[in-house]
Amino acid sequence: MDTRSTRQQRAPASKAGPAGQADVRYVEIDDERAGQRLDNFVTGLCKGVPKSHVYRLIRSGQLRVNGGRRAADYRLQAGDSLRLPPMRVPVVQPATAAGAERVQRARAALGERLPVLYEDDSILVIDKPEAVAVHGGSGVSSGVIERLRAALPQARFLELAHRIDRETSGVLVVARKRAALLALQAQWRQRAPAKRYLAVVAGHWPLRAKTLSFPLRRLAAPDGDRRVVVHGQGQEAVTRVRGLARFEVEGAGALSLVEAIIETGRTHQIRVHLNYAGFPIVGDDKYGNYALNRRLAARGFRRMFLHAASLRLRHPESGAPMDLVAPLPAAFAALLRSGGVDPARFDEAVHDRPVEPAALPGDNGARA
């Protein structure tokens, strides 16, 4: 552990554990480490400990901050005292070393195939494919960050600057320097980045903008699964939704392409808001219309149709404004074409500008 950035001492009455298992220890967070998520910090600090084990310790309350429980996404603050319980580090036997090397090579190959939208010495921006988690854990062997680290072994620092759902595709920013990570995290805390999503929803959404402002609460689940509901005592959540195109697909009925801009960043925010408004996202297996999802899956449309299309922020070092854009996914284009809609009209990567609602034949100009 880097003793320049954290101070560590053993608990006064701790005892040595079994082989491969450390004693209870305490870590004080300084200014350099402040701002990191609890789960990310512990995973980086405790090399070799599976992330799934870290999550279990957080959920069970064995891993504590200032003597109390904290969620995995808690942002550490300077002066926080972190209690780390004994953790068993797997001992790699010679027979399994070759297997671990094969896994690492496989991860590297997957990481090399991740589409890069932009890169420099400070950040790496990729177009995350759908069905790929941003990090491993909770039943996921590896995610984007593990694949990138395997593909770029020379990189001294690679950390996620933010997150998007596993089922969502699109713009994802990775920091290549700690200073860049802290600067980006500061922008997110100030709600400065402008995040624009595209989604296909069930039903005909009006071709105009509407603000969805429903407070959200995350429900605890024993298996670690995350589910979010609209709740009067929940956290503030604001999503601005604009209809872009309305169309119909045989066997699926009325569908709409919408733009969603989030002013807050709650878990599953867009998915829950649209479902609560009566327009579930197509292919959403948690909050969506299951019967509709099955009918579309039979036609080959099996993904969740939510895409992080663009992200506007400031470069973490120069401060220059950046517009990061991910192309419209092929599955989106295919679904739009099946409804008689030209997908090129809604691909910001093609037009290099925000898209406008379409006046489509048979839509009767409806905007209300």
Side-chain angles (χ1 to χ4, degrees), residues 181-211:
L181 175 65
L182 296 176
L184 290 168
Q185 289 175 341
Q187 290 187 52
W188 255 278
R189 285 195 296 273
Q190 296 163 5
R191 299 185 182 178
K195 294 163 279 189
R196 176 178 173 274
Y197 291 76
L198 292 177
V200 177
V201 300
H204 274 168
W205 184 278
L207 297 184
R208 61 176 175 82
K210 182 177 181 180
T211 298

Side-chain angles (χ1 to χ4, degrees), residues 343-355:
R345 302 187 65 168
F346 306 102
D347 194 340
E348 190 174 339
V350 173
H351 295 289
D352 196 27
R353 59 176 171 77
V355 297

Side-chain angles (χ1 to χ4, degrees), residues 136 152 289 317 360:
L152 302 169
N289 182 319
E317 290 197 348
L360 299 175

Side-chain angles (χ1 to χ4, degrees), residues 20 25 41-54 87-92 107 149:
R25 52 181 175 152
F41 176 77
V42 175
T43 303
L45 186 67
C46 303
K47 302 294 186 183
V49 176
K51 201 157 192 176
S52 58
H53 183 54
V54 172
M87 298 187 197
R88 184 178 295 279
V89 179
V91 178
V92 179
R107 286 180 179 175
R149 287 168 180 162

Side-chain angles (χ1 to χ4, degrees), residues 75-158:
R75 297 285 179 181
L76 293 167
Q77 302 176 33
D80 279 350
S81 177
L82 178 62
R83 177 192 184 275
L84 296 172
M87 298 187 197
R88 184 178 295 279
V89 179
V91 178
V92 179
Q93 301 295 337
T96 62
E101 186 177 344
R102 284 195 298 271
V103 169
Q104 196 71 352
R105 285 200 302 268
R107 286 180 179 175
L110 291 170
E112 290 167 358
R113 291 203 292 268
L114 291 170
V116 175
L117 300 174
Y118 174 86
E119 64 177 318
D120 61 21
D121 291 341
S122 299
I123 59 174
L124 173 63
V125 184
I126 68 164
D127 182 3
K128 187 189 84 67
E130 58 91 17
V132 177
V134 294
H135 61 73
S138 299
V140 178
S141 60
S142 71
V144 168
I145 194 65
E146 289 84 6
R147 295 176 185 185
L148 287 176
R149 287 168 180 162
L152 302 169
Q154 74 283 3
R156 298 179 60 185
F157 187 91
L158 285 173

